[in-house]
Amino acid sequence: MSAKQAKPYKYGFVLGGGGARGFAHLGAIKALKERGIEPDIISGVSAGAVAGAFIAAGKTPEETHEAVKALSMMDLTNFQMPKTGLFNLDKLGALLQSKLGKIDLKELKIPMIVGATDILNARVTYFREGDLSEIVQASASIPVLFSPVKIDDLYYADGGVFSNIPLAPLKSCCEYTIVINISPMDKIKELGNIANIAARTFQLSVNGQNSTIKSQCDIYIEPPELSSFPIFDTQKADELFEIGYSHALNMELNLKDTSGSSWWKKFTGWLDK
């Protein structure tokens, strides 16, 4: 196998945003592990960054689920005078520190990349190092609804603004990319309150690239049942976990060798070098 073909990671997990539906990430990751597929690197935004942080820190999906499933949105947010957002996610940052410690992204057991939106420069930033809790909080901060997070004199908001499924940073470094999209869109009958309207509008704006992403990854996991779950309803954590688990456990997985040769040919080719 030539140096050009060699890639440093076998399986890259791409975890998209979707609020409380993030519990489905944990179920899907558990199912994939049972099928012999575990992440060698993770990229995530918003809810995907939260779930990914625990997994990258060495926690199991079950441990993570038990640690956060009893929390409500009010356990993770603070209401404030709406200068830069109706709420802030300072409690989420504090939760991550209490569960995982004050840790740098580059110190995680599994390498992780977190996407966040640099508001001032109108671009996505993929963080590979820096304070984990601070960066994940920024990545989950839906504009207007939650205040952006200041990091090194710049302000960052939800990574989904530019890419709700952060496949780009893993495409060139992984043999196989596994996307878990927890934000399938469906029609709704009621608008709900201002937070729900803001979240719904945000979802509509960020999901336009999904069809392109689906054609660019090796496995695309998108449980359709998730579309009926409000993204701020944390009361259905067990059900969401089970939906992600069941879908990933039962779907067909077609992983083709990205180099066009079998693993044995790769191995013997390496021996012949």
Side-chain angles (χ1 to χ4, degrees), residues 50-123:
V50 176
F54 281 89
I55 301 302
K59 303 295 184 182
T60 67
E62 298 93 330
E63 288 173 334
T64 305
H65 184 65
E66 289 301 318
V68 300
K69 74 174 186 177
L71 300 174
S72 69
M73 285 304 298
M74 295 313 297
D75 293 321
L76 302 175
T77 62
N78 290 310
F79 180 75
Q80 60 187 11
M81 293 300 292
K83 183 178 179 180
T84 57
L86 293 174
F87 303 88
N88 65 58
L89 285 174
D90 292 349
K91 288 182 180 178
L92 172 61
L95 171 72
L96 289 167
Q97 283 204 25
S98 69
K99 299 294 184 182
L100 304 178
K102 188 171 178 60
I103 187 171
D104 193 287
L105 267 172
K106 63 184 179 183
E107 297 171 343
L108 291 167
K109 293 183 179 181
I110 300 172
M112 184 176 179
I113 299 169
V114 177
T117 298
D118 176 351
I119 298 175
L120 298 182
N121 293 298
R123 64 189 181 190

Side-chain angles (χ1 to χ4, degrees), residues 14-19 22 25 43-49 164-166 179-183:
V14 182
L15 309 181
H25 277 314
S43 71
V45 299
S46 201
N164 201 43
I165 301 177
V179 165
I180 305 177
N181 178 30
I182 57 170
S183 289

Side-chain angles (χ1 to χ4, degrees), residues 217-234:
C217 67
D218 297 290
I219 296 176
Y220 187 83
I221 300 173
E222 183 186 78
E225 305 97 314
L226 295 179
S227 64
S228 64
F229 288 82
I231 70 169
F232 295 132
D233 185 0
T234 58

Side-chain angles (χ1 to χ4, degrees), residues 260-271:
S261 61
S262 70
W263 70 268
W264 177 250
K265 288 181 179 179
K266 283 185 181 182
F267 179 66
T268 54
W270 175 77
L271 289 177

Side-chain angles (χ1 to χ4, degrees), residues 18 23 61 124 136 194 236 265:
F23 289 106
V124 63
V136 171
I194 188 171
K236 302 293 195 307
K265 288 181 179 179

